[in-house]
């Protein structure tokens, strides 16, 4: 890999699958827009509509620079020195975010699957799979995503059907609607935009390895709409099962929702199936961040093969996951109150919009000059 990545062949469907599972990620673990209580579905709807606008802006940058990844685009837009510094910030942010997601998975596995296993070892096992996947490349992960997306859809539909058959729902809890727009606004901005939708910028590090700009835009927008619909549906079901207060306070609200499944005193205790879905999405998300970090480093320092830095990047991700938080409570506090404002909003939302605006102005100035392209 160099400053300009060599295009590889993915289909639009494979790109959609990768984006969908990535955007679903660990957001499904902690629920979406829990702070809005019974209006969570409305906050999810608003976040999806605005988030699709953010994703459109990110995809338009690719259309302006179809032969370059995000590192090269930053240097073309802001110059060599500033672009280099911004690229370094992005690489560090990708590694940090990957470490946080790995910590999410470690806490989840320790709580529900492997309570007697040290969390560090659980995270190490997940990271081994991620490093192997990053070493194998994006094409193989795209093929795996094609299979995994059906696994996720089928299990989610089955779980929802079983939950509705259990008779534990009270959709009267969804009322009254839209009574506190302040909480809805605070939930939408910035967390509702940066989480899931703004994170699509991760693929800018490797989008020349996927599909062409227009196919990428369509795949990204369809993925964002599909994920938004999933969040809306799950929020409606979760609030109608747990009630608004418990939904907003639960650490894992969707898992708590599915734990209430009881059918004919026979089908219950489906925690492993639910956690398996969560871990699948989380592992794809860690892979995307790790692979993007490797692609960014390779482009920044003109390393021909990203596989040479997969293990060092994986080591940094693991150390970040272990040492950045002392407990699950501090980990979640930083993720909700600090990360969206300091990292995700400026790097994942604002800067891509600035890059798009600068690129648009440059294009108009060039076309207005004598001999410029119309």
């Amino acid at each position: 890999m160099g400053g300009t990545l060599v295009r590889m062949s993915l289909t639009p469907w494979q790109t959609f699958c990768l984006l969908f599972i990535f955007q679903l990620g660990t957001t499904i673990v902690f629920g979406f827009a829990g702070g809005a209580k019974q209006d969570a579905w409305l906050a999810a709807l608003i976040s999806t509509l605005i988030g699709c606008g953010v994703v459109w802006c990110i995809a338009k940058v690719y259309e302006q620079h179809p032969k370059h990844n995000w590192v090269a685009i930053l240097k073309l837009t802001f110059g060599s020195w500033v672009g280099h510094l911004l690229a370094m910030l992005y690489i560090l942010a990708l590694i940090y975010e990957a470490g946080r997601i790995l910590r999410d998975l470690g806490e989840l596995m320790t709580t529900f699957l492997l309570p007697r296993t040290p969390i560090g070892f659980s995270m190490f096992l997940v990271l081994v799979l991620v490093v192997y996947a990053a070493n194998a490349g994006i094409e193989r992960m795209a093929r795996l995503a094609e299979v995994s997306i059906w696994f996720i859809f089928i299990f989610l539909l089955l779980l929802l059907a079983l939950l509705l058959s259990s008779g534990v729902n009270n959709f009267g809890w969804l009322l009254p609607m839209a009574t506190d727009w302040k909480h809805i606004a605070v939930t939408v901005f910035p967390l509702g935009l940066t989480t899931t939708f703004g994170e699509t910028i991760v693929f800018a590090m490797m989008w020349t390895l996927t599909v062409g700009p227009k196919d990428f835009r369509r795949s990204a927008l369809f993925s964002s709409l599909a994920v938004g619909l999933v969040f809306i549906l799950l929020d409606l079901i979760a609030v109608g099962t747990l009630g608004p207060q418990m939904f907003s306070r639960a650490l894992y609200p969707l898992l708590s929702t599915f734990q209430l499944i009881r059918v004919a005193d026979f089908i219950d205790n489906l925690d492993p199936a639910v956690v398996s879905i969560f871990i699948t999405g989380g592992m794809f998300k860690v892979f995307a961040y790790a692979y993007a970090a490797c692609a960014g480093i390779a482009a920044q320092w003109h390393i021909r093969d990203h596989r040479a830095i997969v293990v060092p990047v994986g080591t940094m991700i693991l150390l970040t996951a272990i040492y950045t938080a002392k407990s699950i409570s501090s980990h979640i506090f930083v993720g909700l109150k600090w990360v969206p404002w300091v990292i995700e909003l400026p790097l994942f939302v604002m800067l891509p919009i600035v890059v798009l605006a600068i690129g648009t102005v440059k294009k108009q100035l060039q076309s207005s000059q004598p001999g410029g392209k119309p």
Side-chain angles (χ1 to χ4, degrees):
M1 292 184 180
T4 302
L5 299 176
V6 178
R7 187 178 301 279
M8 295 171 68
S9 176
L10 292 187
T11 66
W13 169 247
Q14 288 175 326
T15 306
F16 168 84
C17 293
L18 275 174
L19 283 163
F20 178 85
I21 300 177
F22 169 81
Q23 291 177 322
L24 201 64
T26 51
T27 306
I28 195 174
V29 177
F30 297 102
F32 192 90
K37 298 181 179 179
Q38 72 266 24
D39 292 323
W41 69 272
L42 182 57
L45 174 62
I46 297 172
S47 297
T48 300
L49 295 176
I50 302 176
C52 284
V54 174
V55 172
W56 181 87
C57 291
I58 293 171
K60 288 295 290 184
V61 174
Y62 186 18
E63 294 185 32
Q64 291 180 344
H65 305 277
K67 296 182 179 180
H68 301 287
N69 76 342
W70 191 240
V71 171
I73 292 171
L74 289 173
K75 293 179 180 179
L76 288 171
T77 303
F78 298 104
S80 179
W81 283 99
V82 176
H84 179 84
L85 291 175
L86 288 174
M88 281 297 302
L89 285 177
Y90 271 94
I91 291 168
L92 292 174
L94 292 173
I95 293 173
Y96 177 75
E97 291 277 7
R100 287 193 53 82
I101 299 165
L102 183 61
R103 181 61 178 262
D104 290 339
L105 297 179
E107 295 287 354
L108 186 67
M109 293 171 66
T110 300
T111 304
F112 294 99
L113 293 182
L114 304 169
R116 297 184 180 180
T117 303
I119 187 173
F121 186 72
S122 298
M123 293 189 295
F124 173 76
L125 293 178
V126 173
L127 191 65
V128 168
L129 296 176
V130 170
V131 168
Y132 175 80
N135 191 68
I138 195 170
E139 280 188 288
R140 293 183 181 178
M141 286 304 294
R143 297 192 195 106
L144 181 60
E146 285 185 288
V147 177
S148 300
I149 196 170
W150 295 112
F151 163 79
I152 293 172
F153 269 128
I154 292 171
F155 267 82
L156 278 178
L157 289 174
L158 179 61
L159 289 169
L160 289 174
L162 291 173
L163 182 65
L164 293 174
S165 302
S166 300
V168 294
N169 310 105
N170 178 10
F171 291 104
W173 277 324
L174 294 169
L175 300 174
M177 293 190 297
T179 57
D180 193 341
W181 282 100
K182 181 180 179 180
H183 274 89
I184 294 174
V186 169
T187 303
V188 170
F189 187 84
L191 194 61
L193 300 182
T194 58
T195 302
T196 299
F197 304 107
E199 288 178 305
T200 306
I201 192 64
V202 171
F203 279 78
M205 288 290 187
M206 50 190 174
W207 51 24
T208 55
L209 304 179
T210 57
V211 290
K214 292 184 178 179
D215 284 334
F216 182 86
R217 183 185 65 194
R218 283 192 288 265
S219 297
L221 288 175
F222 282 133
S223 170
S224 300
L225 287 171
V227 167
L229 290 175
V230 170
F231 288 152
I232 292 169
L233 176 61
L234 292 177
D235 281 349
L236 287 170
I237 297 294
V239 173
T241 303
L242 299 177
Q245 297 297 331
M246 185 175 293
F247 173 74
S248 64
R249 295 175 182 174
L251 181 58
Y252 304 110
L254 292 176
L255 185 56
S256 300
T257 300
F258 291 128
Q259 283 178 327
L260 297 178
I261 292 177
R262 297 287 188 278
V263 179
D265 294 326
F266 175 69
I267 301 177
D268 57 6
N269 296 325
L270 297 178
D271 295 6
V274 180
V275 173
S276 296
I277 296 175
F278 294 168
I279 292 176
T280 300
M283 286 182 61
F284 269 93
K285 197 157 191 172
V286 178
F287 159 77
Y289 271 104
Y291 193 86
C294 292
I297 293 171
Q300 181 85 319
W301 283 281
H302 306 286
I303 299 172
R304 295 182 61 86
D305 193 343
H306 79 282
R307 290 175 293 184
I309 51 178
V310 167
V311 173
V313 168
T315 302
M316 288 187 284
I317 291 172
L318 180 61
L319 293 175
T320 301
I322 294 174
Y323 293 109
T324 52
K326 295 181 179 180
S327 63
I328 182 64
S329 58
S330 62
H331 172 71
I332 292 177
F333 176 82
V334 170
L336 294 178
K337 303 297 183 182
W338 185 80
V339 172
W341 290 99
V342 177
I343 296 178
E344 294 176 347
L345 184 62
L347 294 182
F348 294 176
V349 177
M350 295 176 64
L351 197 56
I353 294 175
V354 171
V355 170
L356 175 63
I358 292 174
T360 302
V361 171
K362 284 184 177 180
K363 186 177 180 180
Q364 291 177 346
L365 291 176
Q366 290 173 356
S367 64
S368 64
Q369 293 176 353
K373 295 181 180 180

